[in-house]
């Protein structure tokens, strides 16, 4: 057994992307400021998009107060990952199979999807210039789960077929972008009792492919008509929930086909504590809000709209599952883990997340888990206790907890809220 402590503080990394919230409006920046990240000075008009916690080589966490990366530390202390997790995920060089983040979203992220493992390998083989890196960054899938810290809006998965059919036939600017023969075929299958059958999926693929490959000039023309109509107040009842969203997205991404995507993708609004999960081949885009995000360690993203980055429309179209249904189908409903802890357990093995809410002057015991954990304090102050040792916690504190280590979380000053991501060999 290593002499290094099984629970220790980490220094996370902060990413500045254009879509991030500005200054102190960003939860990512708030936590970085509270935790006094080394060399961090807050700039009020700078976007702070993501706080990264983990072993990803692009921005690895470091053992607090040192220059040692978490991966290097775990490579030396292999027992902290646990034998079952190391074997199940073929862990090498101390790299965890998941990446933990805080996202602070001011404007929409790209219309995107993530390939499954097999397609990810194919992409790397065909386009190593674009889908590059070392395993598992290029050859892994990238399922992800988002838990809302503040009110959160996102696009996730294809709408039920009747909803898409209704928009295709009642929103003239949208209908003008799709060949009439494709719309006619789609409306025929839209009422099918088996919406995710082969014929139905094929028809949905035709519609989405046609939409995402429209010539830019045609997109520009129909989008200008749509926004002008919306600003003039000429909105049908079914368009009302999308009017302000379309105007807002278009102001950030003028002439972009992605502005039409809310007509075919579910728009979902989450309150704090609610969560969604997105597996391989499911189209999505985060629109606004602050979230806790957990994902499998991978760089594989296929983009098709609302982004200045490289778009790979053909491969995105190929990668999708074309499953349709209500946005609620993507929600993750937590279960009780312990007295003051909820478990968010998505249908993949790479990660699960605990939400801990300890009342003032209270304590919460967590049994030992079979794999490693990363945890961040999102509200309050307190401490973590193990083996007659303790470590102080405050908002923004990030800690690592080794496999097989039981801990107690204690709250002071009005309570303590902690999100703890972990992996076990399920």
């Amino acid at each position: 057994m290593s002499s290094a402590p099984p629970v220790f503080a980490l220094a996370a990394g902060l990413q500045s992307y254009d879509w991030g919230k500005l200054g102190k409006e960003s939860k990512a920046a708030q936590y970085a400021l509270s935790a006094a990240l080394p060399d961090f000075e807050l700039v009020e008009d700078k976007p702070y998009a993501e706080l990264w916690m983990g072993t990803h080589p692009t921005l690895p966490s470091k053992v607090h107060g040192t220059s040692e990366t978490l991966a290097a530390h775990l490579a030396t202390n292999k027992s902290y990952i646990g034998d079952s997790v190391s074997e199940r995920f073929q862990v090498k060089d101390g790299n965890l199979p998941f990446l933990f983040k805080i996202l602070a979203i001011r404007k929409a992220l790209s219309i995107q999807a993530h390939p499954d493992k097999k397609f990810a390998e194919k992409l790397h083989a065909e386009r190593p210039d674009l889908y590059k890196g070392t395993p598992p960054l290029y050859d892994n899938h990238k399922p992800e789960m988002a838990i809302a810290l503040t009110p959160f809006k996102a696009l996730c998965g294809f709408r039920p077929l009747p909803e898409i059919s209704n928009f295709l036939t009642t929103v003239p600017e949208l209908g003008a972008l799709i060949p009439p023969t494709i719309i006619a075929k789609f409306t025929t299958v839209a009422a099918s009792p088996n919406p995710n059958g082969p014929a139905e999926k094929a028809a949905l693929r035709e519609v989405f492919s046609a939409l995402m490959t429209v010539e830019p000039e045609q997109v520009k023309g129909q989008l200008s008509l749509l926004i002008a109509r919306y600003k003039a107040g000429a909105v049908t009842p079914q368009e009302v929930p999308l009017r302000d969203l379309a105007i807002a997205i278009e102001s950030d991404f003028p002439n972009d086909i992605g502005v039409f995507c809310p007509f075919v993708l579910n728009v979902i609004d989450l309150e704090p504590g609610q969560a969604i999960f997105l597996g391989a081949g499911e189209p999505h885009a985060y629109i606004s809000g602050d979230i806790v995000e957990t994902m499998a360690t991978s760089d594989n993203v296929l983009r098709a709209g609302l982004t200045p980055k490289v778009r790979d429309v053909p491969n995105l179209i190929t990668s999708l599952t074309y499953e349709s249904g209500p946005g609620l189908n993507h929600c993750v409903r937590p279960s009780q883990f312990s007295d003051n802890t909820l478990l968010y357990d998505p249908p993949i093995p790479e990660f699960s997340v605990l939400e801990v809410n300890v009342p003032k002057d209270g304590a919460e015991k967590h049994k030992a888990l079979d794999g490693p954990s990363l945890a961040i304090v999102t509200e309050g102050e307190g401490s973590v206790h193990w083996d007659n040792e303790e470590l102080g916690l405050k908002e923004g504190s990030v800690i690592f907890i080794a496999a097989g280590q039981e801990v107690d979380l204690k709250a002071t000053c009005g309570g303590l809220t902690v999100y703890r991501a972990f992996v076990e060999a399920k």
Side-chain angles (χ1 to χ4, degrees), residues 145-148 270-277 328 330-338 340-347 352-357 419 422:
M145 180 171 66
I147 306 173
L270 301 186
E271 293 301 316
Q274 295 181 314
I276 55 173
F277 170 77
L328 291 176
H330 296 272
C331 288
V332 179
R333 293 169 178 81
S335 59
Q336 206 71 37
F337 179 82
S338 56
N340 298 296
T341 303
L342 296 175
L343 168 65
Y344 297 82
D345 193 23
S352 300
V353 176
L354 300 174
E355 179 190 76
V356 194
N357 287 288
Y419 285 90
F422 68 94

Side-chain angles (χ1 to χ4, degrees), residues 13 53 57 66 131 141 162 199 236 254 256 269 280 304 308 311 319 365 386 423:
M53 298 162 280
T66 77
Y131 302 101
H141 64 166
T236 62
D256 196 300
D269 290 282
R311 305 184 186 204
S319 74
K365 182 180 291 294
W386 73 97
V423 58

Side-chain angles (χ1 to χ4, degrees), residues 4-281:
V7 181
F8 53 88
L10 292 172
L14 193 60
Q15 297 278 33
S16 177
Y17 303 137
D18 181 62
W19 51 261
K21 288 189 175 182
L22 303 179
K24 290 181 182 177
E25 293 297 312
S26 164
K27 287 285 187 186
Q30 289 174 27
Y31 299 149
L33 188 64
S34 179
L37 285 188
D39 302 320
F40 174 65
E41 294 184 10
L42 186 118
V43 179
E44 281 297 349
D45 61 352
K46 183 176 180 177
Y48 296 103
E50 300 185 348
L51 188 73
W52 285 29
M53 298 162 280
T55 57
H56 194 293
T58 297
L59 190 62
S61 298
K62 295 180 179 178
V63 177
H64 190 271
T66 77
S67 59
E68 184 181 28
T69 66
L70 174 59
H73 192 71
L74 295 180
T76 303
N77 299 276
K78 295 179 181 179
S79 64
Y80 287 176
I81 295 177
D83 291 341
S84 60
V85 168
S86 292
E87 183 177 351
R88 169 68 175 80
F89 296 99
Q90 296 295 296
V91 172
K92 297 178 181 178
D93 302 321
N95 287 300
L96 299 176
F98 67 89
L99 178 61
F100 199 32
K101 294 182 180 182
I102 300 294
L103 269 62
I105 305 156
R106 176 174 54 94
K107 62 181 183 179
L109 280 69
S110 57
I111 304 293
Q112 63 183 262
H114 307 297
D116 61 21
K117 291 184 179 183
K118 184 177 181 180
F119 196 57
E121 292 173 358
K122 180 176 182 290
L123 289 171
H124 175 72
E126 293 177 350
R127 292 290 307 277
D129 58 319
L130 183 58
Y131 302 101
K132 54 190 175 182
T134 57
L137 300 184
Y138 78 78
D139 65 350
N140 198 17
H141 64 166
K142 193 182 178 185
E144 58 190 46
M145 180 171 66
I147 306 173
L149 290 171
T150 63
F152 169 58
K153 184 184 290 290
L155 306 181
C156 62
F158 286 106
R159 289 177 176 272
L161 301 186
E163 291 184 14
I164 298 174
S165 178
N166 183 47
F167 282 128
L168 287 173
T169 55
T170 63
V171 179
E173 299 86 358
L174 175 66
L177 298 176
I178 313 292
T181 54
I182 293 178
I183 293 178
K185 184 188 298 185
F186 185 81
T187 55
T188 300
V189 304
S192 168
N194 182 24
N196 289 310
E200 291 77 7
K201 286 187 175 183
L204 178 55
R205 176 172 175 156
E206 272 197 300
V207 166
F208 190 66
S209 177
L211 180 64
M212 301 310 291
T213 55
V214 174
E215 290 296 325
E217 280 303 308
Q218 190 178 3
V219 173
K220 180 179 179 180
Q222 294 302 322
L223 193 51
S224 66
L225 292 173
L226 179 77
I227 299 302
R229 177 164 65 86
Y230 280 178
K231 288 183 176 180
V235 185
T236 62
Q238 61 266 30
E239 292 177 280
V240 169
L242 300 182
R243 174 187 179 274
D244 291 344
L245 177 60
I247 292 173
I249 296 176
E250 195 276 337
S251 69
D252 289 327
F253 300 94
N255 307 322
D256 196 300
I257 189 61
V259 182
F260 283 102
C261 282
F263 294 109
V264 295
L265 303 181
N266 291 295
V267 179
I268 192 165
D269 290 282
L270 301 186
E271 293 301 316
Q274 295 181 314
I276 55 173
F277 170 77
L278 294 151

Side-chain angles (χ1 to χ4, degrees), residues 255-403:
N255 307 322
D256 196 300
I257 189 61
V259 182
F260 283 102
C261 282
F263 294 109
V264 295
L265 303 181
N266 291 295
V267 179
I268 192 165
D269 290 282
L270 301 186
E271 293 301 316
Q274 295 181 314
I276 55 173
F277 170 77
L278 294 151
E282 296 180 334
H284 60 279
Y286 297 161
I287 303 298
S288 62
D290 299 90
I291 61 172
V292 176
E293 185 184 55
T294 319
M295 62 181 64
T297 301
S298 172
D299 283 343
N300 286 315
V301 182
L302 295 162
R303 299 179 177 88
L306 307 184
T307 180
K309 294 183 178 180
V310 175
R311 305 184 186 204
D312 190 350
V313 175
N315 278 316
L316 180 128
I317 290 169
T318 299
S319 74
L320 300 181
T321 64
Y322 295 98
E323 293 279 333
S324 64
L328 291 176
N329 288 356
H330 296 272
C331 288
V332 179
R333 293 169 178 81
S335 59
Q336 206 71 37
F337 179 82
S338 56
D339 289 346
N340 298 296
T341 303
L342 296 175
L343 168 65
Y344 297 82
D345 193 23
I348 42 91
E350 283 87 353
F351 60 82
S352 300
V353 176
L354 300 174
E355 179 190 76
V356 194
N357 287 288
V358 189
K360 182 180 180 182
D361 298 324
E364 182 78 349
K365 182 180 291 294
H366 278 185
K367 64 184 180 181
L369 300 173
D370 288 336
S373 304
L374 297 171
I376 182 169
V377 177
T378 57
E379 286 185 49
E381 295 183 12
S383 53
V384 57
H385 299 250
W386 73 97
D387 300 339
N388 298 316
E389 300 288 336
E390 69 175 276
L391 182 65
L393 300 174
K394 60 182 178 179
E395 183 180 286
S397 293
V398 178
I399 61 171
F400 174 87
I401 303 172

